[in-house]
Amino acid sequence: MAVDDGMTLTDPADPADLAGTTPDQVAWPVLSGELPPLAEAYNPRPETGLGYITSLPPGETLVLADQGQPASQSPASTQSQPKLSPLKPSPLKTAQLQTAQSQTAQSQPSAQPAAPPAPGGGTGKTQLAVAAARNLWQSGAVELLVWTQGSSRDAILTGYVRAFDAIGVHPPREEAGKTAARFLAWLAETTRPWLVVIDGLTDLAALEGLWPSGASGRVLLTTRLPAESLTAPKRRVVQIGTFSPRESVSYLAARLAGDPDQRTGVLDLATDLAGLPLAVAQAASMMIDSRIGCREYRLGYGERKRRMTADGEHFAIVSATWLLSLERADILYPAGLAWPALLLIALLGQDGIPETVLTSRAACEYISGDQAAAEQVHGVLANLARVGLVALDSGGPAPAVWMHELVQYAIRQMIPAAQLDQAVRAAADALVQAWPKTLPPGQARALRACTEALRAAVGEKLWIPDGHPVLLRAGVSLDAARLTGPAVEYWEDLAATGAKLLGSGHPSSLLAGDKLAGALEAAGRPGDAVVVYEQGLAERGRVLGWRHADTLTTRSRLGQACLASGLHTEAISLQESTLAGREWALGKAHPDTLTSRTDLARAYLTAGRLDDAVSGYESALTAHETALGPQHPSTLALRADLASALQAAGRPKHAVSLQEETLRECERLHGPAHPDTIAARAGLAFAYRSAGRMKEALPLYKQTLAERERTLGPDHPDTLTARANLASAYHAARKYKEAILLYERTLAGREKIQGDDHPDTLVALGNLAAAYHAAGRMVQAIPLYEKTLASYLRVYGREHPDTLLARANLAAAYQTGGRVIDAITTLEWTLTECERSLPPDHPLTKSVRDRLTAAREY
C-alpha cells in the first residue's frame, strides 16, 4: 500500500459536538442523517404500501421485507450473466457493450470473484420509508428523525453517533460503541417522540445490541433478509411486493400526463414490467425524455428482454429497462460518456456516492479522457438522472448520487473483462482523491461505504500489484471514527488477505498487521495486540534485519503493548533493546532514539522501579535539552514527567523545583492561558500537594479550574478533571464541605457527559462516597458506596481489582457506621476474592486481611 504509515485522518465531530450543546440547548425538532430523494411522481401505493406505515404506533418496530419474487433459475445458473444476441447495432459503441456471450468466453483473472446471485429488491421499500419519514416529520409527529444506512455495523454506529451529537454532546475520543449505547439509553427513556429508520439492513448481526426501543419512539427498517428471520415481540414484519396493476397504471399515467398519446398501451406495458416499481420508474423516465409512447417502448423492451437470460424475472426486467435507458443517455450531450460513468457508479455501492468522487481527476479522466472535465461529468450525471438510472441529491451537506443495487449488479455483469481493471483503478484512485484528511463523520462514512462496495464487487483486484492506498485510507478512517469493533474486523480481514496474496513479509501485509495491532489496543485488547506485534516483529527481523528502523519501531510498539498488558519485565527488556538498537542505527540525537529513552523511563515507572525511572527520565531530559533545546515543547513535557517520577519516588522537593521551572517557561513562551501552561500549573499544584504545601497548592488548583471553565466550558472532560482535582485537594486539607460540593458537581457532570458506566464516573462515585465518609455523613456515604460497588460489578465483574477495592471501602463504611456484622461478612467475601484473583503478595490482599482481623477484634 503506497501510503505513508504516518498518515493521519481525522473525522471531527459534528457542529453540535464542537459547539458543546446540551439536550436543553438543542433546537428541536432534530433531523439526523441524509434521506434519499423521493422519486418524482411518487406513488403512495394505497393498495400495497403506505397503509402499513401510517398505522405504526409509538413503541413499535415495523420491518419492510421483500415479498417472494418470481422463481429464479436453477442454482447452477445463479452466477450467470445476462445473454444478449446481436439483433441489431446499439447506439452504444460496440466495444463498450459487448454481449455477455463473448464476455463469458474470456478467461477471468483469478482475482475476480464469481458473481454472486442477483440481489432482490426493487419493490420500493426505501421509497415507502422515505415517504413515511417525511410524513411524520412534516406533520410534527416526531421531534427526532434519524436516518441511517443498515449496510454494515459501521453504518449503524456512525448513524447513532451522529444522532447523539445532534441532540447533545459526548466526550471527544469516546469509543463509538459507548456513544451508541448511551444514545439507545436516551431513546429508551426520553418522552420526546422519535423515529429511527434503518435502511437496507444486510446482516442481522450488524444490529446485535443496537436495536432501538422506547415507549416514545418508532422504528422503521427495510431489508432484503428473509421475513421469517426478523420476527420478534413488538415487531411487525410486512412483505412489500410489486405495484398492483392499478398502481402501475396510475403511476405511469401520472408520469406521462403531459402527452395523452404516450399513455396508449399503458396497461400492457405495466403487465410486461410485472409491476416492479424500479422498472416502472425507469421506463417512465426514459419515455418522457425520449418522447416515445408505451407501445414503442414495449417493442424495444421486449426485444432486449428476449435476448437475455438472467437470475430471476425481476433481474431480467431490470436488465432490459436499464439497457434502454443507457442507450438513450449515451446519445445525449456529452454523447458517448454514459457507459464509463455507469461503470464507476456500479462499482461504488448504493449508499449514496459523494459527487466529489465522480468529479475527481481520476474519475474525469476515466469518463471523458480529460482530468479537468468536471462540467462534462455533471452533464453525464444529469443525463443519467433524466432517464431514471440514478437519483441526484443536493439537499444534504454534500451532493450525492444514488443508484439501486439491482441496477448496479446488472451493470457489473455487463462489464467486459478488458474494461474492468481500468474501471477498478479509476474508482479506487477517485476515492483517494476525494478523501481529504478532515471530513465530517457522515461524509467519511459515505466514502468508507464506497470502498467496501468496491472491495465486495472486485474481490482481490485492489491488491494488484501490492495493495491500493484506498484500502489503508478506509481502515484509518474507521480508527479515526473510534469504531473499534468494525476497525478490528476490517484490519483482520486486510491483514489476512495481504498475507495470502502478497506474503506475510510484504510491506503491505506488515502495515496491515501494525494497524490491526493498533486497533486491538484501541479496543482494550492489548494482549491480542502483543500477539500481532510479535508476528510482525518476527517477519520484519527476517526480511529487513533486526537493526532496521522499521524492525526497531515494531519492537517499541510491542514493548508498549506488553506494558499495557501488565507484562512489565518483557516491556522493559524490549524497550532497553530498542534503545540500544536505535542508538547504534540512528544515533543518540535521532527523534526515535529520544522517544525510546522516554518509553524506557515510562516502563520503569509503571513497573515500580522508581529509582530506574528517575534515572531514565533524567537521561531522557538531558538528551532532549541537547538535541532540541530547553524550551522545546517535548523538553518541557519531559520535565513534567520527571517531576512525576520524583514525586512517586518520594523526592517531592526536587519535583516542586522542576514543576516551578516548567510553569515559568510555559508562561514565558505561551502565555498564562495556553493549554500547555494550564497543564503545567496543574502539575505544580500536584507537586505542592505531594510536598504537603497545601496553602500553595489550593490557589493553583482553583486557577486551573477557572481557566478550564473559561476556555473549554463547565462540562468538558478536562474541566471535570480539574474540578475533581480541586475537590481532592480540599478533601486532603479536610475542608469537607467544599470538597463535597465539588465532588457532587463532578459526579453530575460525569454522568451527564460520559455516562453512568464510564471509568471516570465510577471514580467520581467512589470519591463522593469517601468525602461523605470522611465528613461523618454515613447516611449518604453507605448507599453511595453500595451504588459504587454495584457499578463496578456491572462494568468490570467481581474479580477486577477496582471492584475488590470498592467492596473493601464499603466494608470500612459499614464498620464506621456501626454495622460490624455487615463489615465482617463483606471483608470475608473480599478476602476470598483477593486471594483467588490477585497475586499472593498484592497490597490489597494484605490490607483486607488486616482490616478483617481488626473488625473481628472490635
Side-chain angles (χ1 to χ4, degrees):
M1 271 169 270
V3 175
D4 180 12
D5 186 23
M7 175 187 67
T8 57
L9 301 178
T10 303
D11 293 346
D14 281 349
D17 189 18
L18 297 177
T21 59
T22 67
D24 295 333
Q25 299 170 327
V26 172
W28 298 93
V30 171
L31 170 61
S32 176
E34 288 79 46
L35 279 68
L38 195 62
E40 187 176 354
Y42 166 76
N43 189 326
R45 303 183 67 167
E47 297 179 2
T48 61
L50 192 57
Y52 296 114
I53 300 174
T54 54
S55 62
L56 178 63
E60 288 198 6
T61 296
L62 177 64
V63 177
L64 303 183
D66 281 332
Q67 207 170 62
Q69 295 188 47
S72 4
Q73 300 180 21
S74 64
S77 68
T78 57
Q79 294 179 358
S80 64
Q81 296 177 347
K83 304 289 194 293
L84 295 174
S85 55
L87 295 180
K88 62 180 182 179
S90 163
L92 293 174
K93 298 174 184 177
T94 305
Q96 283 185 330
L97 191 58
Q98 290 293 337
T99 68
Q101 292 173 339
S102 62
Q103 217 176 296
T104 53
Q106 300 175 8
S107 60
Q108 298 290 329
S110 59
Q112 171 66 3
T123 59
K125 300 182 301 298
T126 295
Q127 283 294 298
L128 288 171
V130 171
R134 291 179 184 272
N135 179 57
L136 291 169
W137 175 259
Q138 292 168 359
S139 68
V142 296
E143 293 186 38
L144 172 65
L145 170 56
V146 179
W147 185 286
T148 182
Q149 297 297 321
S151 53
S152 67
R153 193 169 182 87
D154 165 13
I156 297 168
L157 286 170
T158 299
Y160 288 177
V161 169
R162 294 179 68 195
F164 201 55
D165 282 343
I167 62 169
V169 59
H170 69 269
R173 311 309 302 173
E174 181 178 66
E175 197 272 326
K178 294 180 180 179
T179 303
R182 294 199 290 118
F183 173 63
L184 292 172
W186 184 90
L187 291 179
E189 297 174 0
T190 186
T191 58
R192 293 185 181 274
W194 53 265
L195 169 67
V196 173
V197 183
I198 302 171
D199 184 37
L201 181 69
T202 57
D203 184 359
L204 271 176
L207 259 180
E208 185 177 353
L210 297 178
W211 282 92
S213 63
S216 301
R218 300 170 172 90
V219 180
L220 181 55
L221 184 146
T222 73
T223 182
R224 297 193 185 102
L225 296 173
E228 58 271 16
S229 68
L230 296 156
T231 56
K234 289 191 176 182
R235 188 186 305 166
R236 281 195 295 155
V237 181
V238 177
Q239 297 183 59
I240 303 297
T242 57
F243 280 152
S244 69
R246 187 181 309 174
E247 288 172 340
S248 294
V249 171
S250 173
Y251 177 83
L252 287 169
R255 292 291 308 274
L256 302 174
D259 186 350
D261 292 339
Q262 286 183 296
R263 299 201 298 267
T264 303
V266 66
L267 180 58
D268 292 332
L269 178 57
T271 302
D272 289 347
L273 299 176
L276 185 62
L278 176 62
V280 172
Q282 288 184 344
S285 296
M286 192 274 193
M287 287 189 288
I288 292 170
D289 191 72
S290 58
R291 299 181 182 178
I292 63 173
C294 292
R295 286 182 175 176
E296 187 177 352
Y297 186 90
R298 287 188 68 216
L299 292 174
Y301 167 80
E303 176 184 286
R304 283 152 184 80
K305 188 166 183 287
R306 284 191 300 272
R307 292 159 52 194
M308 65 179 59
T309 59
D311 298 331
E313 180 68 9
H314 285 184
F315 182 55
I317 292 170
V318 171
S319 296
T321 56
W322 83 259
L323 279 171
L324 282 167
S325 296
L326 171 59
E327 291 171 8
R328 173 62 185 172
D330 208 56
I331 64 174
L332 298 174
Y333 177 82
L337 304 184
W339 175 244
L342 278 182
L343 296 196
L344 291 188
I345 296 170
L347 292 172
L348 293 173
Q350 76 280 4
D351 281 1
I353 302 165
E355 196 175 89
T356 52
V357 175
L358 299 173
T359 55
S360 64
R361 296 190 314 276
C364 288
E365 172 71 23
Y366 178 76
I367 293 171
S368 70
D370 183 355
Q371 291 186 355
E375 287 303 316
Q376 282 191 317
V377 173
H378 281 297
V380 174
L381 296 177
N383 292 339
L384 296 176
R386 282 172 57 179
V387 299
L389 286 173
V390 303
L392 305 181
D393 181 17
S394 57
V401 179
W402 299 78
M403 179 184 282
H404 196 278
E405 182 183 10
L406 192 55
V407 179
Q408 290 180 318
Y409 177 87
I411 292 170
R412 290 198 298 269
Q413 308 318 302
M414 299 292 290
I415 304 176
Q419 294 183 17
L420 182 59
D421 289 344
Q422 185 182 4
V424 169
R425 173 62 61 174
D429 289 347
L431 283 169
V432 172
Q433 291 171 7
W435 210 322
K437 291 188 176 181
T438 57
L439 199 60
Q443 295 176 42
R445 161 60 204 158
L447 292 169
R448 291 197 300 271
C450 289
T451 305
E452 190 56 36
L454 183 61
R455 291 180 67 212
V458 303
E460 299 163 358
K461 283 184 174 292
L462 288 172
W463 287 91
I464 300 172
D466 50 338
H468 194 281
V470 75
L471 297 171
L472 178 65
R473 188 68 62 97
V476 172
S477 180
L478 284 169
D479 294 334
R482 301 176 295 284
L483 291 155
T484 54
V488 167
E489 292 179 3
Y490 181 87
W491 291 119
E492 281 178 338
D493 180 65
L494 217 64
T497 304
K500 180 182 74 172
L501 298 178
L502 306 177
S504 56
H506 190 279
S508 292
S509 304
L510 292 171
L511 178 55
D514 291 344
K515 294 297 184 181
L516 170 58
L520 288 166
E521 289 179 294
R525 297 166 56 184
D528 293 331
V530 166
V531 175
V532 178
Y533 278 132
E534 285 177 336
Q535 294 170 349
L537 179 61
E539 286 294 334
R540 284 197 168 95
R542 178 180 64 82
V543 175
L544 303 175
W546 293 102
R547 290 186 172 181
H548 190 279
D550 291 348
T551 307
L552 294 170
T553 296
T554 304
R555 187 187 298 276
S556 175
R557 290 173 177 170
L558 173 58
Q560 292 167 9
C562 285
L563 195 65
S565 300
L567 303 172
H568 297 159
T569 301
E570 294 84 349
I572 289 172
S573 176
L574 286 163
Q575 297 296 5
E576 286 175 339
S577 62
T578 301
L579 175 58
R582 281 176 167 169
E583 286 182 332
W584 182 89
L586 305 174
K588 294 185 177 182
H590 192 277
D592 289 351
T593 307
L594 297 179
T595 299
S596 278
R597 291 187 180 279
T598 304
D599 290 341
L600 177 57
R602 185 179 298 113
Y604 284 141
L605 182 63
T606 304
R609 292 173 54 173
L610 300 181
D611 290 339
D612 289 333
V614 169
S615 298
Y617 275 121
E618 288 175 338
S619 175
L621 179 59
T622 300
H624 275 71
E625 288 175 337
T626 301
L628 304 177
Q631 299 175 355
H632 191 276
S634 296
T635 305
L636 295 176
L638 194 56
R639 189 175 288 126
D641 290 339
L642 172 57
S644 298
L646 288 165
Q647 288 165 196
R651 296 163 61 181
K653 184 176 180 180
H654 193 182
V656 166
S657 175
L658 270 176
Q659 292 286 22
E660 288 174 336
E661 182 182 355
T662 301
L663 179 58
R664 284 194 299 269
E665 287 295 326
C666 286
E667 287 178 332
R668 186 176 65 82
L669 292 172
H670 306 305
H674 189 276
D676 289 349
T677 305
I678 297 173
R681 189 176 295 117
L684 178 57
F686 181 69
Y688 280 146
R689 175 181 170 179
S690 300
R693 297 165 61 175
M694 293 299 298
K695 288 185 178 180
E696 294 161 289
L698 281 171
L700 289 178
Y701 277 125
K702 291 179 183 178
Q703 187 178 355
T704 300
L705 175 59
E707 288 292 344
R708 294 292 192 202
E709 289 178 330
R710 184 180 65 81
T711 57
L712 302 176
D715 290 331
H716 190 280
D718 289 349
T719 306
L720 296 176
T721 298
R723 187 176 294 125
N725 288 340
L726 176 57
S728 179
Y730 277 132
H731 190 166
R734 299 186 178 183
K735 295 185 177 184
Y736 300 129
K737 182 179 179 180
E738 294 87 343
I740 288 172
L741 289 174
L742 286 169
Y743 276 138
E744 288 173 338
R745 285 191 62 194
T746 301
L747 176 59
R750 298 286 192 200
E751 290 175 334
K752 171 185 172 184
I753 302 302
Q754 296 174 284
D756 292 343
D757 293 343
H758 193 279
D760 291 346
T761 305
L762 302 185
V763 171
L765 268 173
N767 286 340
L768 179 56
Y772 283 142
H773 190 168
R777 296 168 57 175
M778 303 309 298
V779 173
Q780 290 104 337
I782 289 176
L784 206 57
Y785 275 128
E786 291 172 337
K787 181 179 179 181
T788 302
L789 174 59
S791 297
Y792 274 109
L793 284 168
R794 182 179 68 254
V795 176
Y796 294 130
R798 68 181 192 178
E799 298 178 356
H800 193 277
D802 290 347
T803 305
L804 298 175
L805 180 59
R807 196 185 295 277
N809 289 337
L810 174 60
Y814 282 149
Q815 187 168 0
T816 302
R819 296 168 56 177
V820 179
I821 300 300
D822 289 336
I824 291 173
T825 301
T826 304
L827 285 168
E828 287 174 340
W829 182 273
T830 307
L831 181 59
T832 300
E833 291 292 337
C834 286
E835 290 175 339
R836 186 167 63 87
S837 306
L838 301 178
D841 57 347
H842 195 281
L844 180 58
T845 305
K846 182 179 183 304
S847 174
V848 171
R849 187 179 292 113
D850 292 344
R851 287 186 184 183
L852 178 58
T853 301
R856 285 170 173 168
E857 295 174 353
Y858 182 73

